[in-house]
Amino acid sequence: MKKLTVILFLFLFPLASFNEASAQRLTVKNTTIDVGATGYEQPVTATFEMRNKGLRRLVIQSVKPDCGCTKIEYPKEVGIGERFTIKMTYDARMLGHFQKMCLVKSNASKKPFYLTMTGVVKSDFRDYSGEYPIEMGDLLLDKAVLEFDDVNKGDVPEQEIHILNNGKKAMRPNLMHLPPYLTAITSPDHLLPGRTATISVKLLSEKLRDYGLTKTTLYMAHNPGDKVRQDYAIDVATVLLPDMKQFEKENKDLAPQLQMSAKDVDFTDFGGKTKKTATVTLQNTGHSPLKITSLQLFTSGLKVTLSKSEIAPGQSANLKITGIAEELQKLRTRPRILMITNDPDHAKVVVNIKLQ
């Protein structure tokens, strides 16, 4: 009888150990994080993303850094299936490259593991986060939307995009998919880590074919030959004004005159509905027919209809505007509607959509 008991114990013990180990799984997205460059005495934080994929609550017994220069934030307990983070913050009080580690002990395993953060502390480092809020890989940009507004045929306006190399390698940034009416020059064209450059984008209005709004999308490349990435998009909008020479001087009295019931439409509250509609009345108080030659949208999320595009003197038309709540919430630029008319005083009319 004693032999049987011993045999059963030997078979059951490894089975129990296996169940205990498999019941608690802790996954870590990255055990090593490079936080890049920071300035002297400018603390920097690495955030480690983790998840309890075990079958019971995770208890983190301790997280010990390898020196007093690093502070740790972590939860004591984590529920089944829940995601959580462990944060390491280095005080950056020593110049040069650094590697900081912490030892994590939990009930997920008898064996602890290490988390590591690396980076470099520079004496001449500037924090560009406020000036370059847009991140495209290792490039930081101050803007990702260009607007050339109120352009007359023959004008050559210019706008600038300021960029920062936030990586560890030199690069040759450039804009891809330029249409014939745009040029772009990067200076300097060889951008070292931690350095800045300017991309000058010039509009050649003579090469624009149509009056009104023209939109295109450019793509930022870190180096020549890079593949196009949708998350590296630069939106460009141009408004070319029509030629109004026909109504100069004595003919001005004969021109049409546009009056609108509103130039701002309030879409701040949808009342819980998915769509909202507003109507703007357009009236011609002039002495010749008012023509709406172009009606365009700067963004998605809107639908517009015009009851008639030519309005006789003394007559009116309705501009119906429908906003789609879900799409408007995703916009990164302000929604507007552009009208091009033959009224010399209102050749370009913009209807603004208020969202907040």
Side-chain angles (χ1 to χ4, degrees), residues 254-257 283-290 310-316:
L254 302 176
Q257 293 180 8
Q283 187 176 10
N284 180 9
T285 59
H287 298 89
S288 60
L290 174 67
E310 184 170 323
I311 308 171
Q315 300 296 311
S316 61

Side-chain angles (χ1 to χ4, degrees), residues 106-226:
S106 72
N107 67 337
S109 172
K110 294 181 179 180
K111 189 176 181 180
F113 65 93
Y114 286 93
L115 298 176
T116 304
M117 68 181 295
T118 61
V120 60
V121 180
K122 297 182 177 181
S123 59
D124 60 348
F125 180 82
R126 287 180 62 196
D127 181 7
Y128 291 96
S129 58
E131 301 172 53
Y132 297 83
I134 300 167
E135 182 177 339
M136 294 186 180
D138 287 334
L139 274 179
L140 302 182
L141 290 72
D142 67 339
K143 67 182 73 170
V145 176
L146 299 179
E147 294 184 356
F148 293 95
D149 214 355
D150 295 350
V151 177
N152 292 294
K153 201 79 166 178
D155 291 349
V156 187
E158 186 173 339
Q159 291 203 32
E160 294 181 342
I161 301 174
H162 300 99
I163 59 178
L164 165 71
N165 182 351
N166 199 40
K168 294 182 176 180
K169 298 180 180 179
M171 58 180 74
R172 296 173 60 197
N174 61 94
L175 291 179
M176 301 186 292
H177 284 206
L178 288 162
Y181 60 84
L182 290 176
T183 65
I185 298 176
T186 305
S187 180
D189 59 358
H190 184 76
L191 187 57
L192 296 174
R195 301 297 183 179
T196 62
T198 300
I199 301 180
S200 299
V201 182
K202 189 176 294 185
L203 171 68
L204 310 177
S205 64
E206 287 289 354
K207 295 188 177 183
L208 287 171
R209 293 182 300 176
D210 301 317
Y211 292 112
L213 177 65
T214 299
K215 296 194 296 182
T216 191
T217 301
L218 313 179
Y219 297 92
M220 179 63 70
H222 290 60
N223 291 287
D226 284 356

Side-chain angles (χ1 to χ4, degrees), residues 204-275:
L204 310 177
S205 64
E206 287 289 354
K207 295 188 177 183
L208 287 171
R209 293 182 300 176
D210 301 317
Y211 292 112
L213 177 65
T214 299
K215 296 194 296 182
T216 191
T217 301
L218 313 179
Y219 297 92
M220 179 63 70
H222 290 60
N223 291 287
D226 284 356
K227 292 183 178 179
V228 168
R229 291 185 49 165
Q230 295 299 322
D231 52 341
Y232 290 4
I234 307 288
D235 296 325
V236 182
T238 302
V239 178
L240 182 65
L241 299 179
D243 186 358
M244 289 295 172
K245 292 180 180 179
Q246 59 176 318
F247 291 117
E248 286 181 352
K249 298 178 182 178
E250 64 273 4
N251 291 331
K252 185 90 177 274
D253 294 337
L254 302 176
Q257 293 180 8
L258 171 66
Q259 284 193 358
M260 301 175 62
S261 60
K263 286 190 177 181
D264 297 308
V265 177
D266 189 353
F267 276 6
T268 55
D269 184 12
F270 278 74
K273 298 181 180 180
T274 59
K275 296 181 180 180

